[in-house]
């Protein structure tokens, strides 16, 4: 079985090279080709001895995703990447170009086990976790299309290409804990992508012990976004079923402990659903929770999913809800799902292509931060 070279960290690669009697400095060269120059074939590693390349290619794979489609939104601000895995499944990433930032939204699982009632990611079949290599290959492949590798002329424009990575595609990152953490360490390492923790956001539905472990493991450096969606137990039980196991009170106590250790502010994501969680009382409840930990709130107007019987709020309702939060001193941004015209709702394109039948092709949503113009 060949291993995925992108999943390997510096120490592991050095150990491997030593066992083959190659000098350890080759490890950084190899990782530089992978994570900064974003190569997809061994042949592109120009400064390595043929013998080493031979050993590497016998035992490992440099690329495991096949890029199938890359539709762009009409306004060119977002682009979707549909990849096929080696075992023939589809996953998606999204590139969002906005305000000088190039953000990649990555998937962490094929499907999702959390079954949030309004999210189509959990409606299809759960297939498997992605590997760390599959997670970061999404970033490299997107980066590569941004600035093609310029071998030989000494210029490397790819270094600054991707500025932010958000774990908000398909799947629950903390339900694929080891691969997510490994991917994040590679994104942050100087021998990896060299991204600062503030440029990485992990979004979770609230698996409390995993959140606590995660904050510890990344030393509080990575941004944390909590999918709250309601400040009421009963409503949250319906929307986010994991709430039955890790309820709001426990989640809030845990976050109160954590926010002191976190070097970044916490964000609450709040999918606004008409008649469900958009009343003035709901706004007060949300403001109360947000103010307890000085959290910022991202409102995501519900993006209709065929199988779920919920209503999107009108723009006026979104505005009213945000105004109520702001009145209570909460910082609010509104998110839009990226590029509806390219099915940027994460997973949508995947399900159209996935050879899973017996489903009417639910629409999966990846909500990407998309700051609308300020609410007047
Ligand atoms: N599993 C992670 C990532 C999910 S995707 C999590 O739960 O946080 C990122 C955000 O999009 C989550 O807040 C998710 O609840 C939200 N989302 C999912 N489906 C949506 C839909 N149909 N409309 C609006 N937001 C949705």
């Amino acid at each position: 079985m060949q291993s995925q070279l992108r999943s390997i960290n510096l120490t592991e690669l050095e150990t491997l090279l030593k066992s083959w009697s190659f000098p350890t400095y080759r490890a950084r060269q190899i990782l530089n080709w992978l994570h900064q120059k974003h190569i997809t074939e061994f042949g592109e590693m120009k400064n390595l001895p043929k013998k080493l390349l031979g050993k590497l290619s016998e035992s490992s794979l440099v690329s495991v995703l096949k890029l199938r489609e890359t539709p762009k939104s009409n306004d060119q601000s977002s682009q979707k990447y549909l990849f096929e895995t080696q075992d023939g499944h589809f996953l998606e990433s999204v590139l969002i170009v906005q305000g000088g930032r190039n953000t990649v939204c990555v998937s962490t699982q094929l499907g999702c086990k959390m079954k949030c009632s309004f999210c189509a990611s959990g409606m299809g079949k759960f297939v498997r976790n992605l590997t760390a290599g599959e997670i970061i290959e999404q970033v490299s492949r997107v980066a590569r299309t941004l600035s093609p590798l310029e071998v030989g002329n000494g210029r490397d424009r790819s270094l600054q290409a991707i500025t932010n990575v958000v774990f908000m595609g398909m799947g629950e990152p903390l339900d694929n804990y080891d691969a997510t953490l490994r991917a994040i360490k590679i994104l942050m390492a100087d021998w990896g992508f060299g991204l600062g923790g503030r440029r990485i956001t992990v979004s979770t539905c609230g698996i409390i012990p995993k959140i606590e472990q995660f904050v510890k493991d990344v030393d509080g450096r990575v941004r944390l976004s909590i999918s709250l969606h309601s400040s009421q137990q009963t409503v949250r039980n319906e929307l986010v079923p994991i709430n039955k196991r890790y309820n709001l009170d426990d989640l809030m106590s845990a976050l109160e402990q954590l926010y002191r250790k976190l070097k970044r502010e916490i964000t609450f994501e709040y999918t606004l659903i008409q008649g469900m969680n958009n009343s003035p009382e709901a706004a007060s409840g949300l403001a109360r929770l947000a103010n307890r930990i000085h959290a910022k709130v991202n409102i995501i107007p519900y993006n209709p999913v065929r199988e779920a019987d919920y209503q999107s709020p009108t723009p006026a309702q979104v505005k009213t809800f945000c105004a109520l939060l702001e009145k209570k001193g909460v910082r609010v941004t509104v998110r839009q799902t990226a590029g509806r015209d390219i099915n940027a709702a994460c997973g949508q394109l995947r399900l159209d292509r996935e050879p899973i039948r017996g489903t009417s092709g639910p629409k999966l949503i990846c909500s990407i931060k998309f700051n609308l113009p300020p609410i007047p």
Side-chain angles (χ1 to χ4, degrees), residues 118-119 168 171-172 203-205 227 229 269 271 303 305 365 367:
F118 55 90
C119 175
M168 292 182 186
E172 165 54 46
S203 177
T204 175
C205 60
S227 293
H229 307 318
E269 287 161 280
T271 294
N303 198 313
V305 171
I365 307 294
S367 86

Side-chain angles (χ1 to χ4, degrees), residues 272 313-326 334 375-376:
L272 199 65
T314 64
Q317 286 170 324
V318 175
K319 207 164 124 180
T320 307
F321 194 83
C322 292
L324 287 171
L325 292 174
E326 281 171 344
V334 178
I375 299 163

Side-chain angles (χ1 to χ4, degrees), residues 5-204:
L5 199 54
R6 275 178 219 275
S7 296
I8 289 174
N9 67 30
L10 178 64
T11 321
E12 290 162 347
L13 187 53
E14 284 176 345
T15 308
L16 181 71
L17 293 180
K18 251 190 251 166
S19 75
W20 291 342
S21 306
F22 284 102
T24 50
Y25 74 86
R26 294 287 183 196
R28 280 183 184 266
Q29 289 180 326
I30 294 167
L31 295 171
N32 183 274
W33 284 110
L34 287 177
H35 306 311
Q36 298 202 355
K37 299 205 174 71
H38 313 299
I39 56 114
T40 53
E41 285 167 31
F42 282 110
E44 291 173 284
M45 297 186 178
K46 297 294 180 201
N47 56 357
L48 296 184
K50 286 247 152 39
K51 200 172 147 227
L52 176 54
L53 282 176
K55 289 284 262 182
L56 282 172
S57 55
E58 269 166 35
S59 59
S60 64
L61 295 165
V62 84
S63 186
V64 291
L65 300 178
K66 289 198 190 94
L67 186 54
R68 290 302 189 203
E69 293 176 37
T70 55
K72 249 191 186 156
S73 64
N74 288 337
D75 66 358
Q76 307 286 302
S77 68
S78 65
Q79 183 164 13
K80 189 152 225 191
Y81 294 75
L82 183 77
F83 295 105
E84 188 176 346
T85 61
Q86 283 203 303
D87 50 350
H89 294 286
F90 290 90
L91 67 98
E92 301 173 0
S93 324
V94 187
L95 166 71
I96 305 109
V97 178
Q98 198 187 43
R101 287 194 303 258
N102 295 324
T103 303
V104 185
C105 172
V106 294
S107 293
T108 53
Q109 296 179 313
L110 297 170
C112 184
K113 290 187 250 169
M114 298 299 122
K115 309 282 176 208
C116 296
S117 60
F118 55 90
C119 175
S121 293
M123 287 170 189
K125 191 175 106 191
F126 177 80
V127 180
R128 66 170 172 86
N129 284 332
L130 296 180
T131 63
E134 286 171 324
I135 296 171
I136 53 174
E137 188 173 342
Q138 297 171 55
V139 183
S140 272
R141 299 294 287 275
V142 174
R144 177 134 186 186
T145 63
L146 274 187
S147 37
L149 184 67
E150 294 172 76
V151 180
N153 68 4
R155 286 173 57 210
D156 182 8
R157 288 188 295 127
S158 63
L159 278 170
Q160 294 303 319
I162 298 301
T163 60
N164 296 70
V165 177
V166 296
F167 287 68
M168 292 182 186
M170 195 177 350
E172 165 54 46
L174 300 187
D175 185 41
N176 181 12
Y177 191 86
D178 293 347
T180 293
L181 184 64
R182 183 173 270 268
I184 286 173
K185 290 197 166 162
I186 297 172
L187 289 172
M188 291 175 72
D190 65 337
W191 48 262
F193 290 71
L195 284 179
R198 91 196 95 88
R199 299 182 175 280
I200 300 170
T201 304
V202 167
S203 177
T204 175

Side-chain angles (χ1 to χ4, degrees), residues 231-250:
S231 56
Q232 273 181 287
Q233 298 283 12
T234 48
V235 178
R236 194 164 193 266
N237 279 345
E238 175 180 334
L239 296 177
V240 187
I242 196 82
N243 192 65
K244 293 176 197 154
R245 183 135 158 232
Y246 301 114
N247 72 43
L248 261 178
D249 295 339
D250 295 343

